[in-house]
Amino acid sequence: MLVSRSHVVGVSAVLTALVLAGCGTRMTKAPVEDRGASSAASSSPGMVVAPAKPLPGAENAGKPGYYTVKAGDTLIRIGLENGQGWKDIARWNNLDNANLIEVGQVLRVVPPSAAVTETGVVTRPIASAAVIPSSVASAPKPATSAAAPVPAPVPSPAPAAASSEDDVPFIWPASGSLLAGFDEARNKGYDISGKAGDPVLAAADGRVVYAGAGLRGYGNLVILKHNNTFLTAYAHNQALLVKEDQTVRRGQKIAEMGSTDADRVKLHFEIRRQGKPVDPVRYLPAR
């Protein structure tokens, strides 16, 4: 049987088109399922969609004494900005791994035993006044002669002034000249000049709550906690001479001045009151 060339070409073209159509159907990718908000919005009317699992501590968001984690946060920075040691915050929040915190997670940043006012002031329980036993309070007073003179009351001594946590006797942490003063927007403390290896001194008695290089922009850093109100920070050191949880005394050498994460050798020194940077001139003695 004779078949014309044009007929063969036509049949071949039809077969080729059918094969390509079949292959195209088999190789199409499955659609990606969006399990987020858009998926819930496209669900059938009346369908119940399980809510996303809430982050730890979400019920405390916005309450005094709690902090909501933001992008870029680390536990070290959260501690510095809230006047606490990072290990304490990890313990108060039962964190198994201090490096694993999530954006939106809410952390306790005051001790569990402390109360926080609406203005953010941390208060602690005050011991109750001594109670006089009833047997003593009801004991009869000895009889006195009517003619006996009544002694004049002796004024009781004035009560001693309550110690204030603001009264911390700070000293200068280095002897160099001032390179840059406090500027709340650009410089959260003092920059003090010196030579590599010059001593860096503890500005007051305290406990080391951080010693390392894990806070960007500070280089080798030491943070001391002096009481429930004050922290001090010592940055850009070439060597750290103390360890975390170590107790130090005012004037003790805690580091050697350097230029880590800085443009020159200097000490960047901060005083933080309840986590907020304050001008050191308010607390350091005049030179």
Side-chain angles (χ1 to χ4, degrees):
M1 178 177 177
L2 296 177
V3 180
S4 68
R5 179 179 180 85
S6 60
H7 180 72
V8 171
V9 171
V11 172
S12 298
V14 171
L15 291 175
T16 302
L18 291 173
V19 170
L20 290 176
C23 293
T25 302
R26 288 194 299 273
M27 296 179 64
T28 300
K29 292 184 178 179
V32 177
E33 183 180 359
D34 183 356
R35 298 181 183 271
S38 60
S39 177
S42 61
S43 301
S44 301
M47 179 180 291
V48 178
V49 179
K53 183 180 179 181
L55 291 171
E59 69 278 6
N60 296 314
K63 294 181 182 178
Y66 291 87
Y67 176 85
T68 301
V69 178
K70 303 188 300 292
D73 275 342
T74 65
L75 215 57
I76 301 166
R77 183 173 294 280
I78 293 171
L80 179 63
E81 294 183 354
N82 288 276
Q84 306 292 354
W86 71 270
K87 286 184 177 179
D88 293 329
I89 294 177
R91 185 175 69 255
W92 298 335
N93 292 278
N94 299 314
L95 300 179
D96 295 328
N97 187 341
N99 294 318
L100 295 179
I101 55 176
E102 301 178 75
V103 173
Q105 182 175 353
V106 180
L107 300 173
R108 170 183 281 276
V109 291
V110 297
S113 59
V116 184
T117 66
E118 292 299 324
T119 58
V121 177
V122 179
T123 61
R124 294 181 179 278
I126 300 174
S128 59
V131 178
I132 301 174
S134 58
S135 59
V136 175
S138 61
K141 297 181 180 179
T144 58
S145 170
V150 179
V154 178
S156 58
S163 60
S164 170
E165 291 199 337
D166 278 348
D167 296 333
V168 176
F170 288 109
I171 63 170
W172 284 78
S175 59
S177 60
L178 192 62
L179 295 172
F182 178 81
D183 181 332
E184 194 167 358
R186 292 175 293 181
N187 194 31
K188 298 179 180 180
Y190 277 177
D191 289 347
I192 304 172
S193 68
K195 302 186 300 296
D198 279 355
V200 174
L201 310 178
D205 296 350
R207 176 173 63 95
V208 181
V209 294
Y210 181 71
L215 196 58
R216 186 176 180 181
Y218 285 81
N220 291 328
L221 171 68
V222 175
I223 302 175
L224 302 182
K225 184 176 178 68
H226 303 288
N227 54 27
N228 293 320
T229 301
F230 286 107
L231 293 180
T232 51
Y234 312 75
H236 306 312
N237 305 288
Q238 74 171 12
L240 305 181
L241 307 179
V242 292
K243 297 179 180 180
E244 291 180 5
D245 298 322
Q246 179 179 339
T247 300
V248 298
R249 306 295 294 178
R250 182 178 64 167
Q252 178 178 336
K253 184 178 178 181
I254 58 173
E256 293 179 352
M257 195 178 296
S259 59
T260 55
D261 216 355
D263 56 353
R264 58 168 293 171
V265 174
K266 62 182 177 182
L267 171 66
H268 176 74
F269 172 68
E270 295 181 8
I271 297 179
R272 289 183 175 246
R273 187 178 188 280
Q274 293 183 340
K276 308 305 180 186
V278 292
D279 192 340
V281 74
R282 295 166 51 188
Y283 302 98
L284 293 177
R287 279 182 166 180

